[in-house]
Amino acid sequence: MSAAKARRVAAWRASGKVLWRSPAEPTLGERLTALARDAGAVHDLTDRADMYGDGVVEALERRVAGLLGFPAAAFFPSGTMAQQVALRCWAGRTGNPLVALHPQSHPVQHERDALSVVSGLRTVHATQAPRLPTADEVRGLDEPFGTLMLELPLREAGFVLPSWEELVDVVDAARERDAVVHVDGARLWECAPWFGRELPEIAGLADSVYVSFYKSLGGLSGAALAGPEELVEEARAWRHRYGGQVFQQFPAALAALLGLERELPRLPSYAAHARVVAAALRDGLAETAPWFRVHPDPPHTHQFTVWLPYEADVLTEAAVRQAEDTGVTLFRTWFAPGPAGPPGVAVTEVSVTAPGLEWSREDVVEAVRDFMARVTGGRAGRDGGLSPAQHA
């Protein structure tokens, strides 16, 4: 860990007031102690340790299949592997190696061209807009594609979701093109409140779904691919070929079961309070920042983005100093936009989980005022002067 990152983590860890806790904060001993203390609530710890995917891993697979309404599910050590295997299997079954997906989706942004390099697949994009494609855009693709992949929510665009009607329409459009539909559901667990539907109905629109156990659920690692029995059996064979037939995985499986038991039921409350936090951020920034953007507004899940017209390192330093000086972590790391983004603007991701439920609107606004004063050197007003609070 770099010195700068170690400093940030230390500040977050020491903060008494945070919107969420990063998995980078606990020590190894703390994670192990918590897992040993709590795992008995979700699995019989007199059971023998798993070997090559049996035992507690099989129990987790059955739980996930039931939660998503699919006949079967297979555990994978990573979501990257699970998704690549799913898309490879569908390409073989449809006879078409072309995958329609968003250019901001995870396989394009974060997997080092693995779809083409490892699996020989090609990709096509129905839209460049920072949102999921529309039904008309899917119908208008000028190449026949075998699989439509939808990332729900689309993280790089700001954790955005379509409406339920738009989602149904885009799936119908893919069916009209004789394509199968795969959902990148790394964060699917948190989508139900936005759609107003239960997880089996959402997942049931697709032919297969991948879900993560550490995103949203706070697990250690791992993912699952859910779908028809025949597809999942084929995926298990490819999992072995990809090196994912791990000897023992019980820590990850137990942590995943704990996340399903404890965090999954809480996600609707996180999403509801994220709207409160986002509105308060908007109010606080309206009186202190020369320009800002909370996106999406309101948030579609318990995660959203905030944009400010300053360099990323300036904002990150202000966030760290606020945490160190006050014990309050409002924002964490800020990033410059991608190559196409404007200079002098930075973005950060905001998550609201259990610790964030303790924040009132007034808490957020006060923290924003303090943060912006650190950014501007005390000039927290939009006109470059003092804010009303500083005048007082």
Side-chain angles (χ1 to χ4, degrees):
M1 185 183 297
S2 69
K5 185 174 182 179
R7 179 191 169 204
R8 293 197 301 270
V9 171
W12 303 337
R13 179 177 166 84
S15 290
K17 196 171 186 65
V18 299
L19 289 170
W20 68 287
R21 286 291 179 189
S22 165
E25 294 174 37
T27 65
L28 283 172
E30 288 167 343
R31 290 302 302 261
L32 288 170
T33 298
L35 183 61
R37 180 190 66 228
D38 299 337
V42 292
H43 193 78
D44 182 2
L45 298 188
T46 65
D47 191 10
R48 65 172 178 81
D50 61 293
M51 294 179 63
Y52 294 116
D54 63 2
V56 67
V57 177
E58 289 180 331
L60 174 61
E61 291 171 341
R62 290 191 297 269
R63 179 77 183 277
V64 171
L67 284 169
L68 299 178
F70 280 104
F75 181 82
F76 280 78
S78 76
T80 296
M81 184 186 294
Q83 193 141 266
Q84 287 180 31
V85 165
L87 295 175
R88 180 169 194 152
C89 289
W90 283 125
R93 287 165 178 265
T94 62
N96 188 329
L98 190 61
V99 180
L101 43 64
H102 198 281
Q104 289 183 290
S105 63
H106 196 277
V108 177
Q109 295 289 323
H110 301 293
E111 298 180 18
R112 302 184 68 167
D113 301 318
L115 285 183
S116 59
V117 173
V118 179
S119 299
L121 306 182
R122 294 192 301 116
T123 62
V124 65
H125 311 311
T127 182
Q128 298 289 327
R131 53 161 174 77
L132 271 295
T134 66
D136 286 343
E137 288 167 341
V138 169
R139 293 188 183 99
L141 277 168
D142 57 6
E143 291 185 82
F145 56 93
T147 305
L148 172 66
M149 194 204 87
L150 299 172
E151 184 176 320
L152 301 175
L154 186 57
R155 184 260 184 99
E156 294 294 334
F159 305 97
V160 297
L161 289 165
S163 69
W164 177 252
E165 292 74 21
E166 289 168 337
L167 181 59
V168 171
D169 287 346
V170 78
V171 169
D172 288 344
R175 307 286 190 217
E176 292 170 15
R177 300 288 302 265
D178 294 322
V180 297
V181 176
H182 170 74
V183 166
D184 175 337
R187 297 172 173 84
L188 185 70
W189 308 116
E190 63 202 55
C191 296
W194 174 258
F195 290 130
R197 300 294 195 282
E198 298 296 326
L199 284 170
E201 187 175 0
I202 301 169
L205 292 177
D207 296 283
S208 62
V209 172
Y210 135 67
V211 289
S212 173
F213 295 125
Y214 75 90
K215 299 180 179 74
S216 305
L217 298 181
L220 295 177
S221 62
L225 174 64
E229 188 74 51
E230 298 81 5
L231 177 81
V232 172
E233 283 304 306
E234 182 184 0
R236 293 180 194 277
W238 280 107
R239 180 183 65 188
H240 197 171
R241 295 183 180 113
Y242 273 67
Q245 190 77 349
V246 179
F247 178 53
Q248 290 190 320
Q249 300 173 98
F250 63 88
L254 288 170
L257 287 169
L258 278 167
L260 292 172
E261 182 70 21
R262 297 184 175 182
E263 285 298 293
L264 183 58
R266 298 174 180 172
L267 290 177
S269 68
Y270 301 166
H273 200 63
R275 295 188 168 211
V276 175
V277 171
L281 284 170
R282 184 176 62 241
D283 292 345
L285 291 170
E287 64 175 66
T288 58
W291 175 90
F292 71 93
R293 180 63 54 86
V294 175
H295 178 73
D297 189 8
H300 296 175
T301 72
H302 73 288
Q303 298 178 287
F304 57 95
T305 59
V306 176
W307 294 74
L308 284 172
Y310 301 93
E311 297 295 338
D313 58 350
V314 171
L315 296 171
T316 298
E317 175 63 20
V320 174
R321 284 193 289 108
Q322 181 178 35
E324 291 173 335
D325 295 346
T326 70
V328 173
T329 295
L330 175 65
F331 299 121
R332 297 191 178 226
T333 308
W334 291 77
F335 302 93
V345 175
V347 61
T348 191
E349 295 178 345
V350 177
S351 299
V352 177
T353 62
L357 299 180
E358 300 176 4
W359 289 59
S360 67
R361 175 195 175 278
E362 292 72 23
D363 292 336
V364 176
V365 172
E366 181 181 350
V368 169
R369 289 172 179 155
D370 179 74
F371 172 77
M372 288 304 301
R374 294 170 188 277
V375 172
T376 62
R379 299 182 302 277
R382 294 184 64 178
D383 60 357
L386 295 177
S387 70
Q390 289 172 307
H391 277 299

